[in-house]
Amino acid sequence: MSESLKLLIGKAELDTAISRMAARLKEDYPGPLTCLCVLKGALYFFSDLTRLMGDQVTIGMLTTKSYDGTRSTGFKADLSSCPDLKGKDVLVIEDIVDTGHSMTRLLPLLQEQQPRSLKVCVLIDKKARREVDYTPDYSCFTFDDPFVVGYGFDYDERYRNLPEIYELSFT
Ligand code: IMP
Ligand code: MG
């Protein structure tokens, strides 16, 4: 079986969507905001987005793992690099919401720290694949099915570093 990549979202389209999202977030959060990067998938999105969000942002990291190849498996979260969220406005920045299981497992763990507010911004909302009732507060792109790689998205840890987003298929 061989893998093939087809360009789905190019650099210019990514830049436009991310600039638009940064402007919207700056308007919605005029004061201090803690942005949390969900590693590893959101790495590049988080980096590009937060650099456009001005001087009120502090950053934190957390790691989740929920995938094995193209199949959804278990869920693990490592919050050891996550700052104290108590009383803070917090925005989780994630690569994608697919079945919705990861986000609905992660949010209660963050809520335990009693942030003042807790919202989620995703690059891609794959609405049609949802298995639980969850809608992210902000999303740059919405589409149905294709499995994507590049710009942080991986297939078995490969392709994350590609600068644009590709649809991965097997032939
Ligand atoms: P969920 O728990 O099914 O919503 O899955 C969320 C996680 O699955 C994301 O954070 C990604 O790491 C991974 N994922 C879902 N769809 C894709 C995809 O098309 N390409 C790469 N990773 C994906
Ligand atoms: Mg992820």
Side-chain angles (χ1 to χ4, degrees):
M1 211 160 53
S2 74
E3 295 167 15
S4 66
L5 301 183
K6 191 176 104 195
L7 185 66
L8 197 63
I9 309 174
K11 176 99 178 61
E13 203 182 341
L14 272 173
D15 286 350
T16 304
I18 291 169
S19 306
R20 199 173 289 150
M21 181 58 72
R24 189 173 159 202
L25 290 168
K26 274 173 80 173
E27 220 174 278
D28 290 0
Y29 293 97
L33 176 65
T34 302
C35 290
L36 294 182
C37 177
V38 183
L39 294 170
K40 295 178 234 175
L43 174 66
Y44 301 107
F45 174 46
F46 178 87
S47 159
D48 287 341
L49 181 67
T50 55
R51 279 182 296 171
L52 299 175
M53 285 174 61
D55 60 7
Q56 293 292 311
V57 166
T58 55
I59 64 172
M61 311 277 161
L62 58 91
T63 304
T64 62
K65 183 133 185 60
S66 58
Y67 250 66
D68 173 14
T70 55
R71 287 174 302 116
S72 222
T73 55
F75 174 82
K76 279 188 206 146
D78 175 357
L79 303 184
S80 56
S81 301
C82 185
D84 182 18
L85 306 179
K86 195 173 169 65
K88 305 265 173 64
D89 286 315
V90 176
L91 183 68
V92 176
I93 298 179
E94 169 64 308
D95 52 2
I96 195 165
V97 176
D98 185 33
T99 63
H101 289 295
S102 307
M103 208 38 82
T104 52
R105 300 276 297 272
L106 174 65
L107 288 175
L109 299 177
L110 300 176
Q111 203 74 61
E112 277 174 20
Q113 295 192 37
Q114 301 179 305
R116 190 164 87 107
S117 69
L118 179 62
K119 290 196 176 178
V120 175
C121 174
V122 299
L123 182 60
I124 295 174
D125 182 0
K126 262 196 203 172
K127 263 203 172 90
R129 287 184 38 94
R130 208 69 96 246
E131 290 175 6
V132 290
D133 182 20
Y134 174 72
T135 305
D137 303 278
Y138 301 91
S139 52
C140 295
F141 298 97
T142 301
F143 52 70
D144 295 341
D145 207 28
F147 191 84
V148 295
V149 295
Y151 198 65
F153 293 102
D154 74 305
Y155 172 62
D156 277 349
E157 293 303 325
R158 288 164 49 222
Y159 304 123
R160 282 196 202 275
N161 62 308
L162 301 181
E164 299 173 291
I165 297 183
Y166 296 85
E167 177 176 348
L168 174 70
S169 48
F170 300 91
T171 45

